[in-house]
Amino acid sequence: MFKPLLFILATIYVAHGKHEEYDGHSLYQVRVENAEQVDQLMNVVERFLLDVWTYAQPEQDGLILVSKELKPMFEEELKSIGVQFAIDTENIKQKLDLEDQLLANASIAEAGRMQRGLSFNVIHRYAVVDKYLSDLARQYSNVQVASGGKSVEGRDIKYLRISSNNFQSSNKPVVVIQSLLHAREWVTLPVTLYAIHKLVIDVTEQDLVRDIDWVIIPIANPDGYEFTHTRTRMWRKNRRTGMGLCIGVDLNRNFDFAWGTASSNQACSDTFHGPRAFSEPETQMTRDIINRYRSRIGLFIDVHSFGSLILYGYGNRQLPPHSNTLQQVAVEMAKRIDAVKWPANRNYRVGNIAQVLYQASGGCSDFAQARIGNKLSYTYELPAHRNLNNMNGFLVDPAFIRQAGYETWEGIKFAARYVVKNRNLYFENE
Ligand SMILES: *[C@@H]1O[C@H](CO)[C@@H](O)[C@H](O)[C@H]1NC(C)=O
């Protein structure tokens, strides 16, 4: 356990210029041949507490971020277990600086432009989104802003309720969409903001507001999100303290579904599940929303990045009884997105989370699925967009922000309308 201590000291002493803590960090592409190598690689990852961007599988190369200090040891380990590797990005700090410049330029370009609502040229900070949600509630009678409580650091976790009749029709399906449960997954924010835009400001499809009530949570992890802007771009967890040297709980391992069975019990790990299920105010907020609307939720979507995936439960490989429906609707959503996606991005893949990605416990969409029974719960993994400036993984090219919102909305709309069309299966008529 020497590594976390070294890491923290290093962070304290080098945090002068922006992204200095990432200077010399390399992004490795790794290729595994079989399940044994997958396990051996995971063992290395856990021992060195490495930052995994993509989990390696025999049919899918992995991406792992490694600090300058750990690179020699990491390469030795890979050689000894026979895992092939190549360097994808030599110094990730340069990519982080480029992301800053691109976003700064985009923000200068949009200054002074007349805008209805928030723009889709930049990634908006917490305070901007927070004010926007309250402004919308003041300006539009079908919009209410609610606070789901306060984050660990005391920020309001606000969400919108959008309804043509104040949630009064008990047989009208509710769709819940959430983004930024993981702090660094910036490109997920435009998805919820785009949905809000199309449901409130630029309404072109009336059936969506007439037939559905919406609950939209744009920033589920506000403390972690702000921390990725002010300090550590690749922060994933919340900002829980008081657990020793390391900070943060992985909120997407903290929900009460098979909690603690496929996640980390080390506070320093990026997949630390917390002291107990629902130990965190941020997960309690989503839990309370799910429980409050449980009988009416037809569709729940937790938006993450990255990998171009639509995933359903459960993270322990067990399939819900209606997994055929989950699969079929996911395939149709993927088709709608693929039809309008940018050509350089891969097609979406769909499937059970444990089969497509890895086993994971305490996940948000698993908890939602268990609570809403035979209705639809998904985790989206948005594309890693690599056009133009070759921005990879979690990094955002401003050129892709509007597209991310637009194309994902094509998928979400399909499932929302599927729920309306099949409401007799799900909801009793009044
Ligand atoms: C940002 O804008 C400046 C001024 O137009 C330009 O010189 C620079 O190349 C731009 N940066 C990027 C990363 O595009």
Side-chain angles (χ1 to χ4, degrees), residues 124-167:
H124 297 287
R125 294 282 294 271
Y126 167 82
V128 172
V129 175
D130 189 66
K131 177 174 184 305
Y132 175 61
L133 300 183
S134 298
D135 288 348
L136 287 180
R138 262 195 307 278
Q139 289 160 19
Y140 295 89
S141 59
N142 60 334
V143 177
Q144 292 175 348
V145 66
S147 173
K150 295 213 186 285
S151 64
V152 166
E153 292 179 347
R155 292 184 177 88
D156 263 327
I157 312 172
K158 286 195 192 148
Y159 62 93
L160 284 191
R161 290 159 29 98
I162 303 170
S163 172
S164 58
N165 65 346
N166 195 21
F167 283 74

Side-chain angles (χ1 to χ4, degrees), residues 54-75:
T54 303
Y55 282 83
Q57 289 168 326
E59 62 281 6
Q60 155 100 50
D61 288 349
L63 284 173
I64 302 177
L65 188 63
V66 184
S67 71
K68 194 161 59 185
E69 296 74 28
L70 286 175
K71 280 170 66 172
M73 276 189 282
F74 179 66
E75 293 189 9

Side-chain angles (χ1 to χ4, degrees), residues 5-198:
L5 181 60
L6 279 183
F7 176 74
I8 286 162
L9 293 178
T11 314
I12 292 168
Y13 286 112
V14 298
H16 302 301
K18 206 159 183 220
H19 306 312
E20 286 302 327
E21 67 188 286
Y22 291 107
D23 201 12
H25 278 47
S26 296
L27 191 60
Y28 281 80
Q29 186 180 4
V30 294
R31 180 161 298 171
V32 292
E33 308 286 344
N34 51 49
E36 192 193 351
Q37 284 190 341
V38 171
D39 289 345
Q40 289 171 322
L41 181 62
M42 284 314 293
N43 186 275
V44 175
V45 162
E46 277 160 27
R47 263 187 296 133
F48 294 105
L49 291 167
L50 299 176
D51 182 3
V52 180
W53 285 24
T54 303
Y55 282 83
Q57 289 168 326
E59 62 281 6
Q60 155 100 50
D61 288 349
L63 284 173
I64 302 177
L65 188 63
V66 184
S67 71
K68 194 161 59 185
E69 296 74 28
L70 286 175
K71 280 170 66 172
M73 276 189 282
F74 179 66
E75 293 189 9
E76 277 307 308
E77 296 277 351
L78 292 189
K79 281 177 194 152
S80 79
I81 60 176
V83 168
Q84 291 183 340
F85 61 90
I87 299 233
D88 177 282
T89 305
E90 183 68 42
N91 187 354
I92 203 73
K93 177 181 185 304
Q94 288 170 357
K95 277 286 158 66
L96 300 178
D97 291 339
L98 175 61
E99 183 188 53
D100 282 347
Q101 275 178 35
L102 290 167
L103 287 166
N105 281 8
S107 131
I108 291 167
E110 82 169 10
R113 217 182 274 172
M114 284 295 281
Q115 209 86 261
R116 276 203 308 159
L118 286 187
S119 79
F120 290 93
N121 302 320
V122 296
I123 298 293
H124 297 287
R125 294 282 294 271
Y126 167 82
V128 172
V129 175
D130 189 66
K131 177 174 184 305
Y132 175 61
L133 300 183
S134 298
D135 288 348
L136 287 180
R138 262 195 307 278
Q139 289 160 19
Y140 295 89
S141 59
N142 60 334
V143 177
Q144 292 175 348
V145 66
S147 173
K150 295 213 186 285
S151 64
V152 166
E153 292 179 347
R155 292 184 177 88
D156 263 327
I157 312 172
K158 286 195 192 148
Y159 62 93
L160 284 191
R161 290 159 29 98
I162 303 170
S163 172
S164 58
N165 65 346
N166 195 21
F167 283 74
Q168 291 303 307
S169 305
S170 58
N171 63 343
K172 209 201 263 194
V174 170
V175 174
V176 182
I177 318 172
Q178 168 176 279
S179 55
L180 281 176
L181 190 62
H182 282 151
R184 62 189 177 183
E185 298 168 6
W186 286 6
V187 79
T188 65
L189 178 59
V191 170
T192 41
L193 293 183
Y194 194 88
I196 291 170
H197 190 77
K198 294 304 290 178

